[in-house]
């Protein structure tokens, strides 16, 4: 197994500087929160009765996190749409937030065009591409940001900008305090789990070694449900590893019934439960019992607790932790965390179709 | 491996008659569609701007299927809520549909109480329990049905009743023709995949043998997205097997990047792609290419195509097929498809908490 404490390991595989993007998440969030402060909307945008967020993959996860972070307070439904076309309920009373890092995601462009036809209130956030062009042609509110990275590494921009949009429309309470706390908490945790901290004292490196040659199974709940999805996606894209996620309390109504077979999966699957003190006590109890059931069948599991008081800090600190675990795992597998050969191949294939 | 063509295999493990519930799905759908024809709502229910469906596990899957089946035509958002409490957008303009087979699902009862406090329009469907009692106290519209089974085996009731509710509120086109087609298509397919058809000619039995001692990975899309979730849940609960599901085109933006590791998962994972001719051609192309990528890494996959013209027929025929596969797999594992010891243990633990 490659040595996660040796600079040579990093130099050998992280060829395009993914590490700096991951460890830079606190700064990216801080900057994106400030930069988006000037977003403003026409008055008609304040009368929407629903929000539809368009996006896929690394461009969708900001919306996923937003949705579960503001579920308690947002007075209109927020729904993710990761497909061509549109759900039938989109109308001029719908705010459609199109998120595409490149601006060239074909499903998002399809949905954005349909949203324009439906008369929806349009917002686009992107770094450019056809989405920016179409949005300008359509008179949509545009937010064009500059951050050169893979889409998944621009999560600070996508989440903070969406939070700001909801804030500017009066759909959530002011988030400045939570953003500041999240940044502080992430910076603090980084001093314990960054690359300069040896594996013997580094919880993220240690978890990566336990996930090496295993199937990561990530459980989340409430505001951490979509953090579990983030972990899954980062293992896929950074580590080139299979990964699955599941959400409590739903998983207590089906998933746990299936721990019996196949028994030969037991040495392969390793479950990580994302948790926080603010989770509903009954949800925490269900997750704890799920771990006992896993253990009784010989499956390993562990819990990782988010830090901070606010939901945003708990969620983002666990995003940072998971991003680092997926990064370290990419080094253990000897792959470049940046490249996503299969997704690029898919795009080529679809371009030729 | 037990013999799926021997009556003794069935007698040994299917101790409470799960087979009859599975093969009876066409009749159950037909009956539930007819029985629910008399549901009526006060006029105020017609003015709702959103629908929230409460449910978990086997009581949620009807709502899941409904949501993706009517996404194109329903003029208001339909959102599933599988948790305690409520999202912040629920108001007197929200229709809350509480689904609990037993009527005693604690998360659903929690959410239902919160919905009453929020002034939502309340509907409850159940066979009894505390939900029925609370619903009557609150003056909710109640639909109490009679079908003795495990909640997951009452899917015909939950889906058909919800379809009827949407129909009665004018939120979808009349579904009578689609229901009739779905019933016919399921009956027809049953003659090819029922227990009396030998494994050599029986696609469902044959798939079960390929999934034996493997991890089922189910891919769906559009109206089949939640059918993939159904398959996953049925493998968990009927077969006592691990299973995962994923949805296209999203999976083409992350999951496919992760096929590389761990390589030792290759002999264990077996992917089933649920498909139908009506899927968006680009989604079909993405799923096809995902299968090629799996194959290039040594992972087996296959496609199963839904039958019928309507989305409902395609979805329900694949539900029936998957239910049978999960049933046959339970026999191969030598477990009673009915019992869900871990879920029962969870309920006992939570009751004692």
């Amino acid at each position: 197994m490659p040595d996660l404490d040796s600079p040579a390991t990093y130099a050998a595989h992280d060829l395009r500087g993914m590490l700096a993007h991951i460890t830079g998440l606190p700064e990216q969030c801080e900057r994106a929160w400030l930069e988006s402060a000037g977003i403003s909307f026409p008055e008609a945008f304040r009368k929407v009765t629903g929000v539809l967020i368009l996006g896929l993959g690394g461009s969708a996860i900001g919306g996923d996190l937003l949705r579960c972070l503001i579920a308690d307070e947002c007075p209109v439904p927020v729904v993710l749409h990761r497909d061509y076309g549109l759900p039938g309920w989109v109308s001029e009373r719908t705010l459609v937030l199109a998120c595409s890092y490149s601006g060239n995601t074909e499903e998002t462009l399809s949905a954005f065009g349909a949203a324009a036809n439906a008369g929806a209130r349009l917002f686009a956030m992107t770094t450019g591409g056809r989405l920016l062009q179409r949005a300008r042609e359509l008179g949509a509110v545009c937010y064009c940001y500059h951050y050169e990275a893979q889409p998944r590494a621009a999560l600070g921009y996508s989440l903070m900008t969406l939070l700001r949009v909801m804030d500017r429309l009066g759909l959530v309470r002011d988030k400045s305090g939570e953003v500041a706390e999240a940044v502080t908490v992430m910076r603090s945790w980084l001093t314990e789990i960054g690359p300069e901290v040896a594996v013997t004292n580094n919880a993220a490196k240690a978890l990566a070694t336990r996930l090496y040659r295993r199937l990561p199974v990530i459980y989340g709940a409430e505001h951490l449900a979509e953090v579990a999805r983030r972990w899954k996606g980062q293992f896929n894209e950074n580590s080139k590893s299979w990964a699955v996620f599941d959400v409590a309390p739903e998983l207590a109504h089906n998933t746990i019934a299936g721990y019996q077979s196949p028994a030969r999966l037991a040495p392969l699957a390793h479950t990580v439960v994302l948790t926080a003190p603010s989770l509903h006590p009954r949800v925490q109890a269900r997750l704890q019992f799920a771990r006992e059931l896993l253990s009784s069948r010989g499956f390993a599991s562990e819990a990782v607790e988010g830090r901070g008081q606010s939901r945003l800090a708990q969620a983002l600190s666990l995003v940072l932790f998971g991003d680092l675990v997926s990064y370290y795992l990419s080094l253990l597998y000897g792959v470049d965390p940046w490249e996503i050969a299969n997704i690029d191949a898919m795009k080529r294939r679809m371009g030729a179709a």
Side-chain angles (χ1 to χ4, degrees), chain A:
Chain A
M1 202 188 298
D3 180 3
L4 292 178
D5 295 339
S6 159
T9 303
Y10 296 75
H13 304 298
D14 186 6
L15 306 177
R16 275 162 281 192
M18 181 60 94
L19 179 62
H21 289 292
I22 291 174
T23 58
L25 183 62
E27 286 68 42
Q28 188 191 145
C29 287
E30 200 166 42
R31 193 162 63 244
W33 180 248
L34 284 175
E35 285 179 16
S36 58
I39 294 177
S40 67
F41 293 96
E43 193 55 31
F45 278 61
R46 295 183 164 269
K47 296 181 184 132
V48 297
T49 56
V51 176
L52 189 75
I53 302 179
L54 314 179
L56 287 109
S59 293
I61 191 70
D64 290 322
L65 288 167
L66 176 85
R67 186 190 59 74
C68 69
L69 282 165
I70 67 171
D72 278 5
E73 58 178 308
C74 184
V76 299
V78 177
V79 176
L80 267 287
H81 181 72
R82 32 179 109 247
D83 212 333
Y84 299 89
L86 269 191
W89 56 269
V90 173
S91 73
E92 73 284 352
R93 300 293 297 277
T94 309
L95 172 61
V96 171
L97 308 173
C99 306
S100 168
Y101 175 84
S102 69
N104 294 320
T105 313
E106 71 170 54
E107 299 94 321
T108 304
L109 288 165
S110 153
F112 191 68
N117 292 338
R121 309 297 164 179
L122 301 176
F123 171 85
M125 60 177 295
T126 179
T127 63
R130 286 155 60 200
L131 179 60
L132 183 61
Q133 190 188 331
R134 284 291 289 143
R136 284 180 173 154
E137 287 165 6
L138 290 163
V141 179
C142 293
Y143 186 73
C144 187
Y145 61 101
H146 304 282
Y147 185 76
E148 278 191 40
Q150 287 281 26
R152 63 188 181 279
L155 172 63
Y157 269 94
S158 56
L159 176 59
M160 289 299 129
T161 305
L162 289 173
L163 262 183
R164 184 65 87 176
V165 165
M166 303 306 276
D167 172 74
R168 300 290 291 171
L169 290 169
L171 296 171
V172 297
R173 292 182 294 271
D174 177 48
K175 290 284 174 282
S176 300
E178 291 183 35
V179 171
E181 190 214 2
V183 169
T184 302
V185 163
M186 284 192 282
R187 281 198 181 118
S188 163
W189 209 355
L190 255 183
T191 64
E192 301 170 39
I193 56 176
E196 68 289 350
V197 182
V199 67
T200 45
N201 290 313
N202 188 319
K205 286 184 181 177
L207 177 52
T209 63
R210 289 191 292 277
L211 292 173
Y212 178 61
R213 302 193 67 217
R214 293 207 170 79
L215 170 67
V217 177
I218 317 300
Y219 289 172
E222 299 174 19
H223 59 298
L224 307 179
E226 300 296 341
V227 180
R229 182 199 292 272
R230 169 70 172 184
W231 281 48
K232 179 261 180 199
Q234 293 291 77
F235 286 125
N236 294 154
E237 294 194 70
N238 290 345
S239 319
K240 271 52 92 175
S241 170
W242 284 71
V244 299
F245 78 102
D246 213 330
V247 175
E250 173 69 13
L251 65 86
H253 295 264
N254 37 56
T255 306
I256 62 168
Y259 291 158
Q260 193 166 331
S261 297
R264 60 180 178 155
L265 191 63
L268 268 81
H270 187 99
T271 299
V272 180
V273 177
L274 307 182
T275 186
S278 66
L279 291 184
H280 193 300
R282 304 283 285 173
V283 172
Q284 292 189 50
R286 286 173 191 276
L287 285 167
Q288 178 54 39
F289 190 57
R291 291 189 57 199
E292 292 174 33
L293 292 170
L294 281 166
S295 175
S296 73
R297 291 287 174 182
F299 287 90
S301 76
E302 60 188 276
V304 180
E305 188 169 296
R307 296 193 176 181
Q309 296 301 310
S310 66
R311 292 177 163 209
L312 185 66
Q314 292 166 2
L316 276 174
S317 62
L318 282 172
V319 165
L320 175 67
F321 190 96
D323 283 5
L324 275 168
V325 174
S326 73
Y327 175 83
Y328 296 134
L329 187 57
S330 77
L331 301 181
L332 295 179
Y333 280 130
V335 295
D336 179 351
W338 187 282
E339 67 85 14
I340 39 173
N342 282 356
I343 294 176
D344 294 340
M346 174 74 77
K347 283 179 185 157
R348 283 195 303 276
R349 170 69 71 97
M350 297 302 293

